């Protein structure tokens, strides 16, 4: 069958243009200590669906941390919104020229919103955060 990988066949993680389309572990903020540093020292940008916190990065690449509290909903809903935010960040990380560490707090209003609207809002706020960090 064309277009279907056979068992044992390698699967490409890039598109036809050769650009890498993965979200590596090195691109994620995972340590609680770093989350707290970003909250304490970083710039804050509010939107209808998110609160973004950001500081200049300590690594060569921009990193993302996401929080969705239990108030947001069951684990399925929290994990889905985190996947959506990771995908949006991955597609728009070129907005921030220099490396930054970004923590995103997801608001309840994001739960029922469309991907397109979340993407537009996140991209605009990420650009605003990048401008504030350059100043």
């Amino acid at each position: 069958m064309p277009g279907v990988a056979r068992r044992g066949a390698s699967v490409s993680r890039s598109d036809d243009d050769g650009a890498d389309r993965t979200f590596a572990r090195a691109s994620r903020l995972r340590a609680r200590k770093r989350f707290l540093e970003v909250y304490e020292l970083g710039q804050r940008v509010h939107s209808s669906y998110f609160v973004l916190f950001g500081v200049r990065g300590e690594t060569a690449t921009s990193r993302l941390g996401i929080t969705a509290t239990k108030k947001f909903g069951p684990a399925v809903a929290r994990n889905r919104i985190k996947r959506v935010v990771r995908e949006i960040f991955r597609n728009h990380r070129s907005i921030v020229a220099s490396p930054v560490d970004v923590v995103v707090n997801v608001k309840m209003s994001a739960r029922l919103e469309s991907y397109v609207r979340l993407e537009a809002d996140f991209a605009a706020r990420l650009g605003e955060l990048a401008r504030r960090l350059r100043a």
Side-chain angles (χ1 to χ4, degrees), residues 7-108:
R7 182 178 282 190
S10 67
V11 177
S12 173
R13 294 208 181 262
S14 63
D15 285 345
D16 294 336
D17 62 0
D20 188 20
R21 302 291 185 221
T22 62
F23 194 75
R25 202 169 275 267
S27 297
R28 299 179 189 189
L29 283 178
R30 298 181 308 161
R32 182 175 191 274
K33 179 181 176 186
R34 188 60 184 157
F35 271 73
L36 295 176
E37 288 172 1
V38 173
Y39 287 141
E40 188 174 320
L41 304 173
Q43 293 287 323
R44 181 180 306 165
V45 177
H46 294 270
S47 80
S48 301
Y49 310 112
F50 311 104
V51 179
L52 280 72
F53 299 83
V55 295
R56 288 196 175 99
E58 300 172 345
T59 61
T61 62
S62 293
R63 298 184 299 175
L64 175 70
I66 307 166
T67 61
T69 64
K70 286 187 178 183
K71 191 167 56 172
F72 187 80
V76 171
R78 294 192 309 268
N79 291 335
R80 181 188 174 279
I81 196 68
K82 287 192 245 181
R83 283 194 307 272
V84 167
V85 171
R86 267 196 305 271
E87 179 67 9
I88 294 170
F89 181 77
R90 186 183 65 77
N91 288 330
H92 294 280
R93 79 174 97 182
S94 61
I95 291 173
V96 289
S98 59
V100 296
D101 288 347
V102 178
V103 174
V104 178
N105 290 358
V106 181
K107 292 184 177 181
M108 289 287 292

